[in-house]
Amino acid sequence: METTPPEASLGNFVAELTYDDLSGESIETITRAFVDTVGVMLAGSTEGAGRKATESSGIEPTAADAATLLGIDADAPPDSVALRTGTASHALDYDDLAWAMSGHPSVTLVPALLALAEETGASGRDLVAAYAAGFEAECAVADPVSPDHYEAGWHATATFGTFGAAAAAAHLLGLDEVEVSQALNIAASMPSGLKRNFGSMTKPLHAGLCSRSGVTAARLAADGFTADAAAISGERGFWDLYGEGGPEQFAEPDYEALQERGIHIKAYPCCYFTHAAIAAAQALVEEGVDPETIEQVTVTASAGAGDALHHADPDTGLEAKFSMQYAVASALVRERVSLSTFRDDAIENPAVQAVRERVEFVVDEDMAYDSHEASVHIVTEDGTYERHQENPPGTHDDPLTDDELRAKFEECAGTVLSETDVDRLYDVLSTLPVQEDVASAVRGDH
């Protein structure tokens, strides 16, 4: 019996998916992802790589309105807009995660979709369905070569995200199954992103580049641009060159990635591999650890954490986001780990540095490479304390509460918008499925 090639299977799935195919839980998950991503995109437009990308587009982030910053109202073409907003979305490393793709899904999907929202007249249901199509596509491409692909040094957000952005954009543009397959095969020549650049402005640029590439691939396919029919699964195709797996490991999308494995919303604005350790350290403080009496801290985590967190003594806020030592010290000393924790002027805090110097980070080779669990062992003048944290806070199975999600949105969006505009935008995004014209709603048109 002849089997359908993966590229054709993905093309059919993406083209045929409708809003009505999604469960209520999946729709809620995607709606929350839009809320979260828009918030971190707005905050990210004012700092680091996000500010640079925004200003290079001729926009002053602190003077622009929400529609401009989100790419709804833009003079530039959608692919350029997606580059800017994708970079801003990942600039703070505060955006969501999906273990099904070993990376950050929403910064690959939401920027591309918002960049096309005006020209497509997209409703909230359109955006939700397109997001689902892109999410399932990027997870399906990721599965045959994960986690080896990430372990080899590729930034999975950038590589797999290129396919997700292409699929999401293709769905929103209404491409048929052949055109979607072409878009994905065009996208197969675009993925890149090196973990070597973690801790620099280029890491968030990866999200912008893959968002731009996805929009470009979809628009080219819509205009009849062609690519090899097996650019993902064939010899010297994406899987062959970027990993150890292949078409024999491919499983057709069936909404399992979204419904079962889901999306994890970050509680802290730093590398996800630090989150379980941060939560464990904060719990130990609540149990009575006095930071001033700490003599030694030992953090044990996976080899994946060891690969990603290579800044033991960070000099900048960006490097600090990829420092287990700094993150845990901050969790032990500061009231909370927040946006301000990773600003450049916060790094040399004497109390934090005194504890950071006592933190040892150890890799447990017996853990699964991509495990996000961690153990924190603390020796103080008064005794020892230890806690093992299996999962970070905010996972799909134990999500942030609605109040916690709103507080995060207000913290982020409030960096550039007035309280009134923050509340109005939250109301729009949190009711995304009932919005008839998202671009108009974001602008506040009546």
Side-chain angles (χ1 to χ4, degrees), residues 85-112:
T85 57
T87 302
S89 298
H90 200 42
L92 300 175
D93 232 290
Y94 209 0
D95 49 291
D96 60 29
L97 267 290
W99 293 338
M101 67 167 288
S102 299
H104 302 257
S106 294
V107 291
T108 73
L109 305 174
V110 173

Side-chain angles (χ1 to χ4, degrees), residues 390-433:
E390 184 175 355
N391 289 311
T395 64
H396 177 67
D397 294 326
D398 184 23
L400 300 183
T401 66
D402 289 344
D403 286 345
E404 289 170 335
L405 179 62
R406 177 155 192 161
K408 178 181 174 181
F409 180 83
E410 291 174 349
E411 174 194 23
C412 290
T415 61
V416 288
L417 303 180
S418 68
E419 183 176 346
T420 299
D421 286 341
V422 169
D423 289 342
R424 185 186 64 77
L425 186 57
Y426 179 84
D427 289 343
V428 169
L429 296 168
S430 62
T431 59
L432 188 63

Side-chain angles (χ1 to χ4, degrees), residues 16 64 84 100 109 121 125 129 144 171-172 211 214 230 235 237 261 277 280 313 357 401:
E16 295 296 321
R84 167 174 66 82
L109 305 174
R125 290 163 65 100
H171 188 281
L172 191 61
S211 296
E235 183 179 359
R261 304 183 71 183
D313 183 11
E357 293 172 356
T401 66

Side-chain angles (χ1 to χ4, degrees), residues 51-398:
R51 173 178 280 277
K52 295 289 186 184
T54 303
E55 291 177 339
S56 72
S57 299
I59 299 169
E60 170 48 51
T62 58
D65 60 17
T68 300
L69 292 174
L70 299 178
I72 296 294
D73 290 344
D75 296 329
D79 55 350
S80 295
V81 173
L83 173 66
R84 167 174 66 82
T85 57
T87 302
S89 298
H90 200 42
L92 300 175
D93 232 290
Y94 209 0
D95 49 291
D96 60 29
L97 267 290
W99 293 338
M101 67 167 288
S102 299
H104 302 257
S106 294
V107 291
T108 73
L109 305 174
V110 173
L113 293 173
L114 292 181
L116 294 167
E118 176 72 26
E119 73 170 68
T120 59
S123 68
R125 290 163 65 100
D126 293 334
L127 293 185
V128 168
Y131 182 107
F135 182 86
E136 293 291 343
E138 64 191 5
C139 292
V141 173
D143 192 57
V145 293
S146 293
D148 294 341
H149 174 83
Y150 185 88
E151 187 173 359
W154 294 106
H155 183 195
T157 300
T159 52
F160 304 139
T162 301
F163 297 99
H171 188 281
L172 191 61
L173 291 169
L175 274 59
D176 64 29
E177 60 185 86
V178 174
E179 292 168 330
V180 174
S181 296
Q182 292 284 39
L184 293 171
N185 285 315
I186 294 168
S189 280
M190 298 174 169
S192 189
L194 310 177
K195 282 163 60 180
R196 179 72 191 186
N197 269 316
F198 282 16
S200 75
M201 288 187 184
T202 300
K203 200 248 188 182
L205 177 64
H206 293 168
L209 290 171
C210 77
S211 296
R212 181 182 70 178
S213 294
V215 172
T216 298
R219 289 169 72 90
L220 288 173
D223 289 336
F225 210 88
T226 64
D228 186 89
I232 298 172
S233 66
E235 183 179 359
R236 296 186 180 181
F238 176 80
W239 284 332
D240 196 16
L241 296 176
Y242 284 72
E244 300 296 327
E248 60 276 7
Q249 283 84 39
F250 172 74
E252 294 188 16
D254 60 1
Y255 306 103
E256 187 273 338
L258 183 59
Q259 294 180 175
E260 301 299 325
R261 304 183 71 183
I263 295 169
H264 317 306
I265 293 180
K266 280 189 172 185
Y268 317 114
C270 49
C271 179
Y272 201 56
F273 278 116
T274 67
H275 284 215
I278 290 172
Q282 290 178 326
L284 291 175
V285 171
E286 292 174 1
E287 291 176 12
V289 170
D290 181 352
E292 294 185 359
T293 68
I294 289 175
E295 296 177 345
Q296 178 67 39
V297 181
T298 303
V299 182
T300 305
S302 67
D307 279 354
L309 306 173
H310 52 256
H311 292 286
D313 183 11
D315 293 319
T316 67
L318 280 174
E319 290 181 354
K321 290 174 182 286
F322 296 88
S323 172
M324 181 69 87
Q325 293 83 348
Y326 178 81
V328 169
S330 293
L332 291 168
V333 173
R334 293 183 160 114
E335 183 175 343
R336 59 189 293 258
V337 176
S338 64
L339 289 174
S340 62
T341 303
F342 299 96
R343 296 198 171 112
D344 288 348
D345 58 5
I347 304 304
E348 294 304 322
N349 177 284
V352 173
Q353 286 297 322
V355 174
R356 182 199 61 75
E357 293 172 356
R358 293 171 170 79
V359 178
E360 180 184 9
F361 173 29
V362 178
V363 169
D364 183 350
E365 299 293 349
D366 291 332
M367 281 188 188
Y369 174 83
D370 54 351
S371 171
H372 290 85
E373 62 188 300
S375 294
V376 177
H377 179 86
I378 301 176
V379 178
T380 73
E381 297 171 1
D382 306 314
T384 62
Y385 301 79
E386 186 165 9
R387 181 179 176 88
H388 179 78
Q389 186 83 19
E390 184 175 355
N391 289 311
T395 64
H396 177 67
D397 294 326
D398 184 23

